[in-house]
Amino acid sequence: MKIASFNINGVKARINALPDWLDEAQPDVALLQEIKSVDEAFPREVFEDRGYIVETHGQKGFNGVAILSKLPLEDVTRGLPGDEADEQARWIEATVMGNQAIRVCGLYLPNGNPVPGPKYDYKLAWMKRMQARATELLALEEPFLMAGDYNIIPQDEDAKRPEAWQEDALARPESRAAYRRILNMGFTEAFRARQNGPGHYTFWDYQAGAWSRNDGIRIDHFLLSPECADLLEDCQIDAAIRGREKPSDHVPIWVQLRA
């Protein structure tokens, strides 16, 4: 089972590039972030025509997450438990019924800037709710993963210029500590289980020629439960997508599971 995660930075802006990538990469499941569309306006037919089941958790003009799946989905839920008053569409879950059932959680973690301030407080509080949900899922002892745009640079080696991010919400010590608390619950960070060292990025800013200078950061991650990590075969970043016409500022990352 090939599962991909891709922050598309607006489905309408990528309506040609995204289907082209799906046709090439052929993921069984694609977790999308920043669809920036209400559910009713999401171009479902573009993906349904390619054999995907489409489930969205949208928001007008901002945020929004989606699951595209060529395999049956069960128990689809929307929104991160713990604060039903939260109107930001950042979390979607479903069980993918392949040879092995896999619970997938697609997420778009808050950016948190500027620091300090209410947006950063919201980021850290959201991560606490995410940790609580992860605790519930781990207790089931079944394969599951949490994937998406984490807006977290885990270590200095995950940035071309780490000094430029020291005071940013993506790399603040409190952000990294919150990420490590989740990771240390028993998750495997799929990419680092397959690739070591610096120079691997999933995001390049649109400004100042970041792509041409490879001035990137790695903020899109797959965290696998112990049962899911046992199924891991590969994890790769499709970095070349960033050089195409009208790209997202993110690129896809994917895992291959024995499932």
Side-chain angles (χ1 to χ4, degrees):
M1 184 188 300
K2 184 177 183 178
I3 303 176
S5 173
F6 192 3
N7 181 323
I8 59 174
N9 195 4
V11 69
K12 293 181 180 178
R14 314 298 160 223
I15 200 60
N16 293 319
L18 178 56
D20 287 347
W21 171 74
L22 289 170
D23 292 344
E24 294 169 15
Q26 289 292 315
D28 299 295
V29 180
L31 306 174
L32 306 181
Q33 302 93 49
E34 275 202 278
I35 63 173
K36 297 182 180 179
S37 168
V38 295
D39 296 336
E40 297 78 12
F42 190 83
R44 306 173 60 91
E45 63 282 353
V46 173
F47 308 106
E48 291 172 342
D49 288 348
R50 287 169 166 77
Y52 287 100
I53 300 165
V54 178
E55 296 288 349
T56 61
H57 180 36
Q59 182 179 343
K60 185 176 181 179
F62 298 95
N63 306 323
V65 287
I67 300 175
L68 313 179
S69 179
K70 291 186 175 180
L71 298 167
L73 296 177
E74 294 187 358
D75 189 21
V76 180
T77 60
R78 295 165 174 82
L80 188 58
D83 186 357
E84 279 60 44
D86 188 349
E87 297 179 352
Q88 297 195 28
R90 295 182 175 274
W91 182 274
I92 189 168
E93 288 185 32
T95 300
V96 182
M97 305 305 294
N99 294 329
Q100 166 88 53
I102 306 291
R103 186 72 176 171
V104 298
C105 307
L107 64 99
Y108 176 41
L109 205 148
N111 176 284
N113 284 303
V115 180
K119 290 185 177 181
Y120 193 56
D121 295 341
Y122 174 72
K123 179 189 186 95
L124 296 179
W126 200 95
M127 294 183 78
K128 285 184 179 180
R129 289 195 284 132
M130 178 181 169
Q131 183 174 354
R133 180 57 180 155
T135 299
E136 295 174 349
L137 291 169
L138 285 169
L140 300 176
E141 298 185 350
E142 297 173 352
F144 81 95
L145 58 83
M146 303 187 298
D149 178 358
Y150 278 71
N151 270 314
I152 296 287
I153 304 170
Q155 301 180 81
D156 282 354
E157 70 176 6
D158 296 309
K160 178 68 174 291
R161 295 181 301 117
E163 68 279 2
W165 297 90
Q166 288 180 352
E167 298 304 317
D168 193 279
L170 278 64
R172 287 280 304 171
E174 301 92 335
S175 304
R176 287 178 167 178
Y179 179 79
R180 285 195 302 271
R181 282 193 293 271
I182 295 171
L183 185 62
N184 291 343
M185 295 169 68
F187 288 99
T188 294
E189 210 261 82
F191 186 78
R192 283 307 183 198
R194 288 293 179 267
Q195 302 283 341
N196 293 317
H200 304 287
Y201 310 127
T202 62
F203 172 93
W204 295 260
D205 196 275
Y206 289 127
Q207 306 299 318
W211 167 246
S212 62
R213 295 184 292 109
N214 196 28
D215 186 6
I217 55 177
R218 193 176 69 91
I219 57 175
D220 301 84
H221 312 302
F222 272 86
L223 299 191
L224 313 183
S225 72
E227 297 79 11
C228 192
D230 288 343
L231 305 174
L232 178 63
E233 294 182 330
D234 200 6
C235 180
Q236 298 288 338
I237 297 169
D238 285 353
I241 301 299
R242 183 62 174 80
R244 295 189 178 181
E245 185 178 359
K246 295 182 179 180
S248 171
D249 42 9
H250 293 252
V251 296
I253 179 173
W254 54 266
V255 295
Q256 184 73 45
L257 304 177
R258 292 187 301 275

